[in-house]
Amino acid sequence: MPECLPDTIKLVPEVYTYKFDTSLVEKSYILCVGMKRFEISEGIYQLIKLIDGKKSLSEIASEYSEVRNKIYTTEDIYAIIHLLLNPYGILEKTKSDDNVQTSNSYLYFQYPIIPGQIVNAISQFFKLLYHPKLLISFLLFSFIFFFYFYFFVFQTID
């Protein structure tokens, strides 16, 4: 466990949970963080309920061990909280979190393949194809062409 770990951990104020009614055997819950929604298991729900900003990690670990009927160490709770909850913005930032550099988990690369002027010229041409009168006449011609081939051309091939 890192040396700079705060003794207490607090949730952001806009976090709340409620039961998610499903037909699954294990209960599941919805975790709301502002406008984001996540489905969480009952174990994570019980852990979130223990995080109140007043209890230390060792107190949370002992209470969570009692609730889950399994022994959890402070390191286990730290790993669960910071690997499963922290990336979703559930925890308030601490002074130790300010020094941590975050990186995006995706590669962002932008390079124009076709210049914008050419794209605008081409799109103006295709824009004409979506004029209602032209579109209706094109669809009507397509149906007539299809029926002509279906009833006359394909029968002579047979």
Side-chain angles (χ1 to χ4, degrees), residues 79-137:
I80 292 170
I81 289 173
H82 285 280
L83 293 176
L84 298 179
L85 300 180
N86 201 26
Y88 297 105
I90 296 169
L91 303 176
E92 281 191 351
K93 287 194 175 211
T94 61
K95 290 181 182 177
S96 63
D97 292 337
D98 293 337
N99 299 329
V100 176
Q101 291 183 346
T102 58
S103 64
N104 294 331
S105 61
Y106 58 88
L107 176 66
Y108 181 75
F109 180 71
Q110 182 178 5
Y111 184 77
I113 297 173
I114 302 172
Q117 299 88 354
I118 295 174
V119 171
N120 285 335
I122 293 171
S123 66
Q124 291 300 320
F125 170 73
F126 285 115
K127 182 178 166 183
L128 294 173
L129 295 176
Y130 287 98
H131 190 272
K133 291 181 182 177
L134 187 61
L135 186 63
I136 291 171
S137 62

Side-chain angles (χ1 to χ4, degrees), residues 120-158:
N120 285 335
I122 293 171
S123 66
Q124 291 300 320
F125 170 73
F126 285 115
K127 182 178 166 183
L128 294 173
L129 295 176
Y130 287 98
H131 190 272
K133 291 181 182 177
L134 187 61
L135 186 63
I136 291 171
S137 62
F138 180 72
L139 287 174
L140 186 62
F141 175 75
S142 297
F143 282 121
I144 292 170
F145 190 72
F146 171 75
F147 286 117
Y148 172 76
F149 266 87
Y150 185 76
F151 289 111
F152 298 108
V153 176
F154 289 146
Q155 287 185 358
T156 58
I157 294 174
D158 288 338

Side-chain angles (χ1 to χ4, degrees), residues 1 20 47 54 76 100 119 129 137:
M1 186 166 67
F20 186 46
L47 180 62
K54 299 173 185 171
D76 295 335
V100 176
V119 171
L129 295 176
S137 62

Side-chain angles (χ1 to χ4, degrees), residues 47-103:
L47 180 62
I48 289 172
K49 287 299 179 188
L50 293 174
I51 301 172
D52 60 0
K54 299 173 185 171
K55 297 176 187 163
S56 68
L57 281 178
S58 59
E59 291 173 332
I60 292 173
S62 65
E63 287 184 32
Y64 191 65
S65 296
E66 289 176 21
V67 171
R68 299 296 290 173
N69 295 324
K70 184 178 176 186
I71 297 174
Y72 288 93
T73 64
T74 306
E75 289 81 14
D76 295 335
I77 298 301
Y78 173 79
I80 292 170
I81 289 173
H82 285 280
L83 293 176
L84 298 179
L85 300 180
N86 201 26
Y88 297 105
I90 296 169
L91 303 176
E92 281 191 351
K93 287 194 175 211
T94 61
K95 290 181 182 177
S96 63
D97 292 337
D98 293 337
N99 299 329
V100 176
Q101 291 183 346
T102 58
S103 64

